[in-house]
Amino acid sequence: MLHARLKHGKERSLLRRHPWIFSGALEAVDGHGKSGDTAAIYDSSGGFLALAAFSPHSQIRLRVWSFDPSDRIDAVFFQNRIQKAVARRMKNGTLPCACRLINAEADLLSGLIVDKYGDYLVAQFLSAGVERWKSGIVKGLEAVLRPEGIYERSDAEVRLKEGLSLQTGLLAGEEPPEFIEIQEGGYRFLVDVRRGHKTGFYLDQAENRKIVAEYAQNRQILNCFSYTGGFSVAALKAGAERVVNLDTSGDALELASRNIQLNGLDLNRCENLQEDVFSCLRTFRDRGISFDMIILDPPKFAENQHQLEKAARGYKDINLLACKLLRPGGLLVTFSCSGLVSTELFQKIVADAALDAHRQARIQRRLFQSCDHAVLLSFPEGQYLKGLVCEVE
Ligand code: SAH
């Protein structure tokens, strides 16, 4: 086992149970550590702090596995952690058809994402530590969940920061079908786990789909960044008069149409526009086209601190335009999934947008990621998705 010693005072975050140690906090790492090796972390006076995974290429040099010195980091350890994460998602002794089973730090498995789509699991190994233990983790998932197959989607760019290449493909069991059909609440969706975003579907919006449904009846809705139509299915099922899906991806829009049909909904109540949201909202403004509800769920605008200002301008721009396009009493359902944009900052951006649009807006509801995407109090960075439902006068 490696022996990592922190600089004086740098143990504070670990004592608050934050699971990351940045390279600058390290005094020394003894031994020839390979990517993913286990290290014991000590404070500057030699006191034990934690067991962690070593990542020589990453700024996040160590990610904690355990604060208990008697733990052994091995396949059994991972199976136990998987078991606990799964137990947390059980409802009346069963798992939902589709849900996030393992949410990285929040389930004490930094870097590991596992989503369940029907009988299949889709996993992302995003840190050196979980990459090192991949085969043990896969065995643990098989033992605890007995899935038909486990598919890997480790094609997220964050892998490069860990010195890992991008990887996708079957890890165990059978190849999943081209589209996996899932049930979520009362909705059915087709998920493309090979080519879809992230692991294939935005499970983090599951609870918000239900909330959108509550407000959707009889409304004419513009669903910006619609992807495969999650919000549109929920809204149409709840009696929305009409929904326009707006996305640059033709594949996503095509799947949105299939999802609408799969739910027995009338495609005539839905229109797909394959266009850029920023320019399309301007075109609608210039033509005087208006809506009763506008959903804004853009991709992550801020990947790092340097992009924060530009991201804030992007959020302001689309929210300002959306406010202008809403009929009096219309609803703005607006999200940011950038972890770097805090809930407070996001609310301020939306407030500025409403102000500049000369509209009065009132918060009806505050939205977050679904609760299977849990947040550890000692790791508030895990809270990334925030949103508002605003009535716009
Ligand atoms: N709301 C979706 C998830 C949105 S993901 C859901 O609940 O499932 C973001 C989507 O925005 C992707 O489908 C991507 O193709 C699309 N996108 C990204 N930039 C865009 C742009 N400038 N204009 C339109 N769509 C864009």
Side-chain angles (χ1 to χ4, degrees):
M1 183 146 44
L2 297 172
H3 187 113
R5 198 155 28 90
L6 300 188
K7 289 180 184 159
H8 181 67
K10 295 294 183 185
E11 69 285 357
R12 267 198 297 267
S13 65
L14 281 187
L15 294 175
R16 293 190 56 81
R17 300 257 157 162
H18 191 282
W20 293 352
I21 288 294
F22 287 91
S23 56
L26 271 170
E27 183 68 53
V29 179
D30 303 333
H32 296 287
K34 291 200 299 296
S35 179
D37 279 355
T38 302
I41 310 178
Y42 298 88
D43 63 22
S44 56
S45 28
F48 173 86
L49 291 164
L51 298 169
F54 178 61
S55 185
H57 303 285
S58 174
Q59 285 299 307
I60 306 172
R61 195 57 49 90
L62 294 159
R63 291 169 186 255
V64 171
W65 290 131
S66 169
F67 293 98
D68 181 349
S70 68
D71 266 342
R72 270 181 59 136
I73 310 306
D74 57 14
V76 176
F77 172 86
F78 288 102
Q79 184 163 329
N80 286 336
R81 286 275 159 100
I82 291 166
Q83 184 83 60
K84 285 195 174 139
V86 169
R88 279 192 275 276
R89 271 81 177 173
M90 289 271 191
K91 292 189 180 95
N92 306 320
T94 53
L95 285 171
C97 170
C99 66
R100 172 145 300 184
L101 286 177
I102 297 177
N103 194 38
E105 282 79 3
D107 290 297
L108 311 182
L109 288 167
S110 185
L112 182 65
I113 300 288
V114 179
D115 287 341
K116 175 179 184 291
Y117 295 113
D119 297 329
Y120 292 88
L121 303 179
V122 182
Q124 295 185 305
F125 294 81
L126 304 176
S127 65
V130 288
E131 179 71 17
R132 157 71 180 77
W133 290 99
K134 191 185 279 178
S135 72
I137 289 168
V138 168
K139 286 201 183 82
L141 289 169
E142 285 192 293
V144 174
L145 292 147
R146 309 227 165 270
E148 287 286 322
I150 306 176
Y151 194 83
E152 177 172 22
R153 279 295 304 272
S154 300
D155 52 346
E157 299 278 318
V158 287
R159 291 248 314 176
L160 305 177
K161 294 189 183 167
E162 297 277 319
L164 306 170
S165 59
L166 308 189
Q167 279 176 24
T168 60
L170 192 67
L171 288 170
E174 288 180 20
E175 278 281 346
E178 188 182 2
F179 296 103
I180 301 177
E181 187 180 321
I182 59 160
Q183 296 246 5
E184 179 200 278
Y187 315 124
R188 298 161 72 184
F189 295 109
L190 295 173
V191 180
D192 180 347
V193 299
R194 288 182 192 75
R195 294 183 306 152
H197 291 173
K198 307 209 279 188
T199 63
F201 196 59
Y202 287 87
L203 292 171
D204 54 356
Q205 291 287 23
E207 287 164 14
N208 298 328
R209 282 188 267 277
K210 285 194 211 145
I211 292 170
V212 161
E214 282 177 37
Y215 296 96
Q217 197 177 29
N218 297 330
R219 294 200 191 247
Q220 295 185 355
I221 300 175
L222 176 62
N223 183 6
C224 299
F225 311 96
S226 61
Y227 190 50
T228 57
F231 286 120
S232 304
V233 166
L236 287 168
K237 195 143 190 206
E241 191 179 304
R242 216 178 117 66
V243 176
V244 177
N245 287 324
L246 180 52
D247 203 290
T248 43
S249 162
D251 287 345
L253 289 169
E254 208 182 302
L255 202 47
S257 294
R258 289 186 61 181
N259 282 330
I260 287 164
Q261 285 174 302
L262 184 67
N263 287 273
L265 299 161
D266 184 0
L267 265 188
N268 291 321
R269 284 159 64 207
C270 181
E271 184 184 345
N272 284 345
L273 286 180
Q274 188 178 355
E275 281 184 53
D276 171 65
V277 167
F278 291 85
S279 60
C280 188
L281 291 178
R282 287 188 163 73
T283 309
F284 284 161
R285 177 197 60 193
D286 296 344
R287 292 194 191 147
I289 293 171
S290 58
F291 295 89
D292 306 308
M293 182 194 271
I294 299 180
I295 300 164
L296 298 172
D297 182 23
K300 200 176 184 182
F301 283 164
E303 295 284 347
N304 54 53
Q305 203 69 38
H306 303 293
Q307 296 174 351
L308 193 54
E309 213 179 300
K310 184 156 178 266
R313 280 200 300 274
Y315 289 121
K316 165 117 184 257
D317 191 29
I318 53 177
N319 280 282
L320 193 160
L321 288 160
C323 283
K324 287 191 171 174
L325 298 186
L326 280 168
R327 294 178 190 134
L331 285 179
L332 175 66
V333 182
T334 180
F335 295 96
S336 162
C337 63
S338 304
L340 288 169
V341 175
S342 67
T343 305
E344 294 71 30
L345 175 59
F346 185 59
Q347 182 174 323
K348 190 172 178 308
I349 292 168
V350 179
D352 286 349
L355 197 66
D356 287 8
H358 307 294
R359 302 292 292 268
Q360 185 155 263
R362 189 169 281 112
I363 298 175
Q364 302 277 317
R365 203 112 171 208
R366 295 174 186 279
L367 309 173
F368 302 97
Q369 65 219 45
S370 291
C371 62
D372 52 359
H373 292 57
V375 181
L376 208 59
L377 276 173
S378 55
F379 185 69
E381 294 93 325
Q383 168 72 57
Y384 64 97
L385 183 65
K386 73 283 311 174
L388 297 169
V389 179
C390 290
E391 182 199 44
V392 180
E393 271 181 45

